[in-house]
Amino acid sequence: MRTRKRILAVLLVMVMTAAMAVTGCGSGDSGDGSASDKTITVAFWDNNQLAGLKEIADEWSKTSGYKVEFTAPDWGSYWTMLEAGVSGGEMPDVFWMHSNNADKYMAADVLLDLNDYIEEDDAIDMDNYFKGIADLYNMDGVQYAIPKDHDTIAVIYNKKIFDKYGVGYPSEDWTWEDFAAAAQEISDKGKADGVYGTYCNVSSNQDGWYNIIYSYGGEVITPDRKASGLDEPATIEAMKFVAEKILPACPPPDSMASTGGDTMFLSGLVGMICQGSWAVNNFYTADNASDYAWALLPYADVNGNGQCEPSERCSIYNGLGWSISAQSEKADAAWSLISAFTSEEGQKKQSELGITMAAYEGCSDAFAEAFDGMDISPFVDIEEKGTLVFRPYSKSMALWDQDISDALVDVWSNPETMEDTLKQLAVQMNKRIAEE
């Protein structure tokens, strides 16, 4: 590690002496100084973020002398690509990590231990990031990714559809009951037009029914991640509400299984959906963007006092991380790039450019102003007017998450089976957790 620190020091000097670096005078990493040795490869899966990330990377390149090559396959292809790299292929130097797969990759020794880099870098203090995200990418005291962003959930609605059927727009005062009633009214009045009030598929968890469960006081997994919460009374109550009030206002299950909520919304077939802050640009750049508006997530009036307590309005949040391949021959330069993305300055720039909200706490306000003509403040406002709950996970999440999705397919067609199915799923989930 002493050698690595010396190498890092050389790199930092190189960054400060930009003119020398640009002309190829010196390198903090091994190599012969060829063009390929001056390129950092970066992989991620959301092409909507490419322009903004490239802008930050271009600024970094001016001082580091390194080029950055981005690859942005879709979600499925991305993980296939990484799996191939783990199995002996070529890994990118820098890449995104996600809660679905973090434990698997951290345990496989394919991610670089970042502890010493963090210790040596004054721009990175893990206490500045949302704790849930920082903890997610830490295993046995080793940090394997630096938090990239955090996301929250809001309601997007089509004003044209609400106006056509005479339904009031979503407001900050809406409960989930109000949401369901408005959705049903749109479905009833829009039946002849094939228009539905809302959309909620079995996979709509982070941007859908997870938020309802926690607003009702339930939970998917206990805080210590040792047991399922699917059989808890509040969880069952919330999911029975989904079955009895939300699903009747949605398109048929078969239609939702074949067509995503975003597609249906953008096609004018659905009046409102819940969606995450990561997807704002999809709607901002849509042909009918002027018809769209955002609102705070509704709340569940659990105590019946007619007012929203912060614990009754919950948004699930999640966050990606920047990792470095353990096999990267340019690890020092890769760290320098990650530091540029995740430092306070880099995180503020990320928000200003509308890439995503920041993982660095207190750096996301600019995100709300990044989309001229579209008010997306509900994504930021919920941090004061509600409660953020980190996306439920455990080491076996990929398994029990799939179990839940598979089981709910039948429930979506037979809503009356919700309670029994949840109790069965809790048993199955506890077995998965016990085997971790």
Side-chain angles (χ1 to χ4, degrees):
M1 192 63 227
R2 185 175 299 171
T3 299
R4 178 189 294 173
K5 290 179 180 177
R6 284 202 299 270
I7 294 174
L8 178 59
V10 172
L11 179 64
L12 293 174
V13 170
M14 181 186 69
V15 170
M16 295 174 66
T17 55
M20 293 178 63
V22 169
T23 54
C25 298
S27 170
D29 293 299
S30 60
D32 57 9
S34 64
S36 61
D37 284 334
K38 285 292 193 180
T39 300
I40 297 295
T41 55
V42 176
F44 63 111
W45 60 77
D46 186 356
N47 201 47
N48 281 320
Q49 299 188 30
L50 176 59
L53 293 175
K54 188 174 184 303
E55 185 169 332
I56 296 175
D58 285 348
E59 286 299 312
W60 174 81
S61 292
K62 290 177 182 176
T63 54
S64 69
Y66 277 80
K67 288 176 54 180
V68 179
E69 286 186 357
F70 287 98
T71 301
D74 59 38
W75 167 269
S77 299
Y78 175 84
W79 293 106
T80 300
M81 177 191 70
L82 283 194
E83 288 289 339
V86 170
S87 301
E90 187 175 351
M91 295 277 285
D93 295 302
V94 173
F95 48 92
W96 282 0
M97 193 43 57
H98 186 273
S99 55
N100 280 13
N101 296 307
D103 276 311
K104 173 182 174 182
Y105 279 83
M106 289 190 292
D109 293 328
V110 296
L111 307 183
L112 189 67
D113 176 348
L114 302 178
N115 282 9
D116 287 326
Y117 283 111
I118 295 169
E119 184 179 345
E120 293 293 321
D121 192 335
D122 291 338
I124 305 298
D125 181 343
M126 298 309 295
D127 290 338
N128 289 324
Y129 301 93
F130 282 89
K131 187 175 186 306
I133 306 171
D135 289 348
L136 171 66
Y137 300 116
N138 188 296
M139 178 176 280
D140 299 328
V142 177
Q143 197 70 35
Y144 289 103
I146 305 301
K148 171 194 171 288
D149 55 31
H150 88 286
D151 46 53
T152 60
I153 311 298
V155 174
I156 185 168
Y157 59 98
N158 186 325
K159 294 180 290 185
K160 200 170 182 178
I161 290 178
F162 276 73
D163 290 341
K164 180 176 182 179
Y165 301 118
V167 179
Y169 295 158
S171 76
E172 187 173 327
D173 298 328
W174 265 22
T175 64
W176 279 110
E177 291 281 354
D178 295 326
F179 178 97
Q184 190 60 58
E185 186 175 356
I186 291 173
S187 292
D188 292 342
K189 294 180 177 178
K191 187 173 182 179
D193 302 322
V195 174
Y196 297 88
T198 189
Y199 178 103
C200 182
N201 201 0
V202 296
S203 59
S204 304
N205 47 33
Q206 183 186 350
D207 55 351
W209 43 271
Y210 272 7
N211 302 281
I212 299 176
I213 286 176
Y214 282 86
S215 295
Y216 271 76
E219 57 189 11
V220 175
I221 191 169
T222 54
D224 62 4
R225 304 187 188 96
K226 299 295 185 183
S228 171
L230 293 178
D231 55 352
E232 294 180 9
T235 303
I236 292 172
E237 180 187 3
M239 289 304 285
K240 288 178 72 174
F241 166 77
V242 171
E244 295 168 1
K245 300 290 184 67
I246 298 293
L247 295 185
C250 293
D254 288 348
S255 298
M256 291 194 288
S258 61
T259 308
D262 288 7
T263 299
M264 284 196 173
F265 181 86
L266 292 168
S267 300
L269 299 177
V270 170
M272 59 181 166
I273 59 174
C274 299
Q275 187 51 275
S277 52
W278 63 83
V280 169
N281 201 48
N282 291 345
F283 303 98
Y284 183 70
T285 57
D287 291 340
N288 300 316
S290 61
D291 293 335
Y292 307 151
W294 295 91
L296 272 177
L297 278 179
Y299 72 99
D301 192 14
V302 176
N303 61 13
N305 68 355
Q307 298 179 347
C308 177
E309 311 297 337
S311 62
E312 296 174 330
R313 191 198 306 274
C314 293
S315 170
I316 304 298
Y317 82 99
N318 194 18
L320 307 180
W322 284 111
S323 288
I324 299 173
S325 168
Q327 281 72 48
S328 174
E329 296 179 352
K330 289 160 276 191
D332 298 337
W335 170 261
S336 177
L337 177 60
I338 284 182
S339 181
F341 281 135
T342 59
S343 66
E344 181 177 11
E345 180 182 357
Q347 291 280 283
K348 286 182 176 177
K349 188 71 173 178
Q350 176 175 283
S351 294
E352 291 169 4
L353 293 172
I355 302 172
T356 54
M357 296 165 68
Y360 197 110
E361 293 199 56
C363 292
S364 295
D365 289 347
F367 182 76
E369 308 295 331
F371 297 87
D372 187 34
M374 178 177 275
D375 179 9
I376 61 166
S377 58
F379 288 110
V380 177
D381 291 347
I382 199 167
E383 297 184 12
E384 293 184 358
K385 298 178 179 179
T387 298
L388 299 190
V389 177
F390 193 68
R391 187 183 185 218
Y393 75 99
S394 74
K395 291 182 179 179
S396 61
M397 184 187 72
L399 297 174
W400 54 255
D401 187 57
Q402 189 62 53
D403 293 339
I404 294 172
S405 293
D406 291 345
L408 290 184
V409 169
D410 288 335
V411 178
W412 252 234
S413 298
N414 303 283
E416 69 279 4
T417 64
M418 179 65 84
E419 181 170 354
D420 289 341
T421 301
L422 289 175
K423 290 179 178 177
Q424 293 167 10
L425 279 169
V427 174
Q428 190 173 354
M429 183 173 166
N430 284 331
K431 290 181 179 177
R432 297 285 195 190
I433 294 171
E435 294 170 354
E436 292 178 352

